[in-house]
Amino acid sequence: MANIFPKWSNKVPIRAVIGILLIVVALTIGVTYYFTPKYANVGYQPIQPVAFDHSLHAGQLGIDCRYCHTYVDRSEHSNIPGANTCMNCHNQVRSDSDALAPIRESYNTGKPVYWVKVHNTPDYVYFNHSVHVNRGVSCVECHGKVNEMKVVFQDKSLTMLFCLDCHRNPEKFLRPIDEVYNLNWKPESEQAQLDMGKKFVHDWKVNPPVSCSGCHR
Amino acid sequence: MKYKFIHPEPKEDDIVGPKYWKSLDEAADTPEFRQWLEREFPAGASEIEGVNRRHFLKIMAASFSFAGLGLAGCRQDEKHMLPYAKQPERNVPGVPLYYATSMPRSRGNIPLIVETQDSRPTKIEGNPSDEFYNGATDAFAQASILDLYDPDRATKSLNADKEPISKEEVEALFQKINEKYAAKKGAGLAILSEKSTSPTRDRFVAELKKLYPELIWAEYEPLNYDNPLKALQAQFGKSLRPWHHFEKAKRILSVGSDFLGMESGHLASAYGFSKTRKVKSTADVEKMSRLYMVEADFTPTGGMADHRLRLETANHAAFLCAIGAEILRQTGGSKALISSLEQKSQGLNVDPAWIKQCADDLVAHKGEALVAVAASLPEEMHVLAMALNTHLGANGKTISYTEVPVTDAQSIDILAEAVKGKKVETLVIMGGNPAYNAPAKLDWANLKSSVPEVIRYGYYFDETSEVSNYHIAANHYLESWSDGRTWEGAYVPVQPMILPLFDGFSELEMLAKLLAKKDFDPYASVKETFINLYPGKNFDEWLSVGVVKDESFKPEDIKVDVAKVEKAVADAKIKPASFTVENLDLQLTPSRQVFDGRYNNNGWLQEMPDPMTKLTWDNAILISPTLADALTEKFGYALLPKPSLMNEMGQANINAAHFDAGKEEAYIAELTVDGQTIRGPLHIQPGLADYAVVVPLGYGRKTVGRVGMGSGFDAYPLMASTDTNAIRSAALKVTSDRYSLANTQEHWSMEGRALLREASAEDYKHNPDFVKKMGLESHSPSIYGTASGDSAKVKATQIPRGGSAYKTPDFKGPQQWGMSIDLNTCTGCSACVVACQSENNIAIVGKDQVLRGREMHWMRLDRYFSSGKDDKTVLPTDPQVSFMSMLCQHCELAPCENVCPVNATVHDEEGLNVMAYNRCVGTRYCANNCPYKVRRFNFFDWNKREIGHFYEGPTGPAGMPELHKMQKNPDVTVRMRGVMEKCTFCVQRIEEAKINQRVKAKDSDNILVPDGTIQTACQQVCPTDSIVFGDVADPTSAVAQAKDSELNYSVLGYLNTRPRTTYLARIRNPNPLMPDFHDQPLSRLEYEKRYGHAASHEEMAAAH
């Protein structure tokens, strides 16, 4: 009796097993990558060229965010300070510290310091800092308690869903304008936040965009 | 009760053709055109070159499976943020800075405000501080920013071997010249320059002449607009120039003057003219001006005319004499002058009634009438025009005469003499491109042999650089200090906002080198000029405002010396000519895209369709349908689409159309003038004078960048023998060769159905609601149903459904955006098309892709011809033209949204129809379902791949040149291949305004953006304020008031799309006594012939 199956069919099972294994591996990699906070980069904490300690400057010393991030309330970007801002103090304080060498070099040569970007939104997202901080959304909502971070890391997912959570329910996040830069501020209770938030939404006519044009152009 | 609307069966006429037609094919309604129309994208557009669709899908399926393996590659890269080492003051990253400057032009600078993003100039806008221009600019100014980032510009100075030389070597070169000629008092030194309005340059030129008394300083512009100046100079001995005030004129006669387009001061003219054409209600009709136009070409100004006489250019002078005689007779002019004029116009083949009635009308409006004549007419005619305007009481009212500064310069002819006599040892050519556009003036090919040293200073390496020993790179005006005057005399700065990108020099720096100025500071020189001119005024304020307020040329009283006028007119050699197919009238015009050729390497301008011919990337020999008929008979090539659609066999006639899938296959003809022959494609342009041949200049460049290379043909050789405006007769010979013209006139065609609504002033007075009686919606109950009486706010925000099957979004936003476009004042200048392209990062696709119907303009300017006849067998020769800018209508019930499978196009809360590029998968269903055909698909990575390499895909060179990236607007996404795009109502500007308002509001509720804060790019640029944008829910806003007008209508409104963009119908103001009077605009006559008299649904119901 002639063979029903051609010779190559001997290899089908092994091929199938390898194929299935490959798919499983790809799926595992895919899930661990895309379905976990890794994809959203939560916890991303790169090493910066200068070990700037926010917990010291903003926390212990109590320097206002806007002393360095000068344009946060005027521009879409919250700027990284130039070396001249650092040197305002550091030409007096610890003026010969090794840690500050890159700053001094930048100040003297005019070459920028290569800070590593921590919070990143895609290019097609047109996020604007000024409209948030001027309307009662605190830095802490997106950046976490930076005043307690020795090395800055990404605290929130900054995904579109994260944005929409707030845009759909602004009353949960709004705070008095005076407390925007106070990263330690806390509402008395959840209910107090909701009551106050609702009042702000009504009084200030807060209507955050929830359609595409708000952020994508 | 549900009302089901049944479309009426189409009548025979409906099937045969729409009532407005955009091209001859459409008029003849050839099968090719039908096919074209019925497809959403032009035929070539969706076909893949060389690969059939099935094969393509197979390949793609394979690539997708591979793509899946590369998931891990998506991990975010480490990105860096680089702050300033020392933060400069006032420069806030992310907030654009605006600088006031101006674009230098030979006839008058255009005042500008330039937006810079992180110190890169990105967008040019008009300066609203200038009282005459109303913040307007034209397409040339808009597009000039692209030249700054042109990779083909001269980046380094070159020596004779085309090797780069350093700035120091250039310095040394000029030092040698200084030393040599200072000793010889300048003998042997000649400078040929472009014209300029800069007082600082004038000062330097005067210094040059002092330093080198024997220097030959010559100026040359290929297009001569100086005849009025010369004429008045001869009359009064002063450099006087007429200045037309169209805003005060009620009756205008233009003899060949394209005052809305190419004539000097066109932006101010357009603004002034539009003020007299704004009609909001019947009360405004009386205030409307009336424009009589005599021309050979069909210009946008002719398109605005209420009466248009087609007349060959050579006879314009005779016409002016004829009407001049009539006007003078009625206003008591000198007998001698009248008889001299009568004699000169003897035999002019123009309907005497036209002349008589036009003259009557002008005379009847003494003090409000104006005669404007083309600058190209002979000087005597400008003297006559001045006399006529005086007799019409125009002086000091609709026209004034101002003294203007004139640089004392030699003509190019004198320079040519000197060169021929070997008297020139060093020739410096500053700007311009005389080797291309003054071909006969100098023996360019052998220039180097007669002049030992030719130094060329220019922005591009061009034809003139080829014949020079040195090419010195020029800076862009956005990189240079200078100053200038507008045509009206306002003093404006030219200030840099970016350091020179390359090793170039500014014009003032060049002159300073010739003057051997040490440590030259152009800023200080401009400041010095300013302080000299306006002592006591604040220099810094001038730089920030961009114009010296309330300073312009002052009108002078003139006394007309009749004897002098008589003599001038008597001396004029004028004789009416008659033209035939053997003896044609030739008019060389500047191109509306590349002007005299200087913008030839600008992709935005090359791709901007000419408003009249709709050609891109080429010029053509324009002829009238009558001439086309005659040439067909003479040479036997069928130039015209055949009126009959079927041949004897009953098959569709192959030759019935010029258009093959949107490609205009034009015959090439040879045009001979005075023994000079050029070859170019023929384009048949209805509305030209019968035996006129019109040829736009500026194409066919031989040494030009990659963009301009190969575009069009050069018509300058025809200008060879005499000056530009000389009148010559031409002969045409049609050849059997064909040439593809990228003509966009049939791209994006919409079916008829009363797209355009027009009425004559008289009819409008009696039928103020004529707009509502046109179109299919006039035969149906109101689309708003019982809510039709509701306010605009209720309509915009609550949308009574009126039985719509569409799911409607909620419009809960506090402001609702909308636009109104006034067809009455749109002149078709196309500046909006380029402004939109500049603001929204719209790609250039190149001629090959335009031929396939893939141009990306978000805003297009539809040009409709109407003949008033319903006859498909005879080609109309004297049509009226109407312009309609067409952009995304932002329908409240948008058909595109319902068909998108991935929700990529949806509505936002404020009524915008938005495109989420990231969601778009490129099905193109939306474009298929868009009745306005305003959606554009990225067939290729226009921004990533170079023109010419699109088809190579990933194997071709990738990456946008750094220079191109610098121009991009950072607030607008640069789109990639495979996504759909369209007008966004400049959403980036809306969001910016909203954010700024909220930042200001802080913890108050003052969040409404004040009316007028947001200006879309097209609105900002518009010289006639035809476009109004704003909040339609606010009854006090300008846009809501415009939409309140009874002239307001929606295009294709019966589809119940409820567009947020609506149009104001056009009112024409013809004179009932004129022989070419029609009681309705021609488009309306066509409408009525086809659909019967306009009537509303209620009226029809009553009749039944």
Side-chain angles (χ1 to χ4, degrees), chain B residues 42-242:
Chain B
S46 25
E47 266 127 51
I48 299 157
E49 200 73 358
V51 187
N52 68 35
R53 197 172 280 248
R54 187 175 291 261
H55 183 57
F56 175 76
L57 286 176
K58 261 196 239 166
I59 295 170
M60 285 319 289
S63 356
F64 281 135
S65 56
F66 280 115
L69 294 175
L71 279 179
C74 307
R75 197 65 186 263
Q76 185 181 314
D77 294 336
E78 190 171 270
K79 288 183 178 169
H80 294 280
M81 290 191 285
L82 312 186
Y84 285 99
K86 287 174 193 157
Q87 174 73 37
E89 266 188 277
R90 292 196 194 89
N91 191 346
V92 181
V95 178
L97 269 178
Y98 297 86
Y99 288 90
T101 184
S102 65
M103 181 188 185
R105 300 260 190 98
S106 60
R107 289 178 278 159
N109 287 21
I110 308 287
L112 304 175
I113 297 283
V114 181
E115 178 179 349
T116 64
Q117 302 267 8
D118 293 330
S119 309
R120 298 173 286 120
T122 54
K123 176 77 176 55
I124 283 176
E125 312 228 304
N127 186 349
S129 300
D130 181 85
E131 58 179 313
F132 302 105
Y133 289 7
N134 185 34
T137 48
D138 56 11
F140 299 145
Q142 282 297 321
S144 64
I145 200 158
L146 195 62
D147 291 339
L148 172 65
Y149 302 116
D150 187 347
D152 294 338
R153 63 182 277 200
T155 55
K156 282 207 169 354
S157 303
L158 305 173
N159 64 13
D161 304 325
K162 296 188 184 174
E163 284 161 359
I165 51 174
S166 67
K167 284 190 107 164
E168 289 70 32
E169 284 170 279
V170 175
E171 302 280 350
L173 175 71
F174 278 89
Q175 204 171 343
K176 252 182 24 210
I177 293 174
N178 287 325
E179 282 161 14
K180 183 176 169 192
Y181 291 101
K184 295 166 68 181
K185 295 198 163 175
L189 178 62
I191 303 175
L192 175 62
S193 169
E194 282 182 295
K195 289 193 172 167
S196 160
T197 63
S198 161
T200 305
R201 193 185 98 160
D202 278 358
R203 203 153 59 81
F204 281 25
V205 172
E207 284 181 38
L208 267 180
K209 286 179 182 166
K210 217 187 267 168
L211 188 65
Y212 308 113
E214 313 255 313
L215 162 81
I216 300 177
W217 173 270
E219 290 183 359
Y220 175 71
E221 285 290 330
L223 297 153
N224 171 17
Y225 290 91
D226 283 344
N227 282 359
L229 187 73
K230 285 189 209 151
L232 296 178
Q233 181 112 36
Q235 286 279 311
F236 300 101
K238 274 201 278 188
S239 52
L240 285 176
R241 196 174 65 182

Side-chain angles (χ1 to χ4, degrees), chain B residues 504-644:
Chain B
F505 301 91
S506 72
E507 193 183 31
L508 291 183
E509 282 170 335
M510 282 295 290
L511 291 169
K513 276 185 216 322
L514 286 165
L515 284 165
K517 287 191 190 229
K518 290 269 173 285
D519 300 325
F520 173 67
D521 178 8
Y523 168 80
S525 308
V526 172
K527 190 166 181 175
E528 196 184 327
T529 314
F530 178 85
I531 291 167
N532 290 342
L533 283 170
Y534 299 101
K537 295 230 178 199
N538 186 333
F539 180 69
D540 291 334
E541 190 192 322
W542 176 60
L543 289 185
S544 85
V545 175
V547 60
V548 181
K549 285 266 179 199
D550 305 321
E551 289 284 347
S552 59
F553 293 136
K554 295 277 167 291
E556 300 216 355
D557 271 338
I558 56 155
K559 271 218 133 48
V560 179
D561 184 341
V562 181
K564 265 187 165 175
V565 174
E566 277 170 15
K567 184 169 178 316
V569 172
D571 288 350
K573 290 190 193 70
I574 295 165
K575 199 169 168 285
S578 61
F579 294 98
T580 62
V581 68
E582 308 296 335
N583 171 30
L584 299 166
D585 173 62
L586 174 72
Q587 191 186 1
L588 298 174
T589 65
S591 156
R592 282 182 279 266
Q593 291 134 311
V594 302
F595 196 60
D596 58 5
R598 70 183 64 201
Y599 306 123
N600 200 293
N601 206 48
N602 190 310
W604 290 348
L605 289 171
Q606 284 273 11
E607 200 154 296
M608 176 191 94
D610 179 283
M612 299 307 296
T613 64
K614 292 282 142 194
L615 292 178
T616 61
W617 292 96
D618 273 305
N619 57 344
I621 300 172
L622 308 181
I623 57 171
S624 69
T626 313
L627 180 55
D629 264 339
L631 289 172
T632 303
E633 203 166 298
K634 189 170 162 192
F635 295 102
Y637 300 112
L639 295 183
L640 287 163
K642 288 210 180 91
S644 72

Side-chain angles (χ1 to χ4, degrees), chain A residues 41 75 115 117 211 213 217, chain B residues 76 79 81 93 908-909 973:
Chain A
N41 277 320
S75 170
W115 298 100
K117 195 168 187 181
S211 53
S213 58
R217 294 162 200 172
Chain B
Q76 185 181 314
K79 288 183 178 169
M81 290 191 285
D908 77 356
E909 305 92 339
T973 307

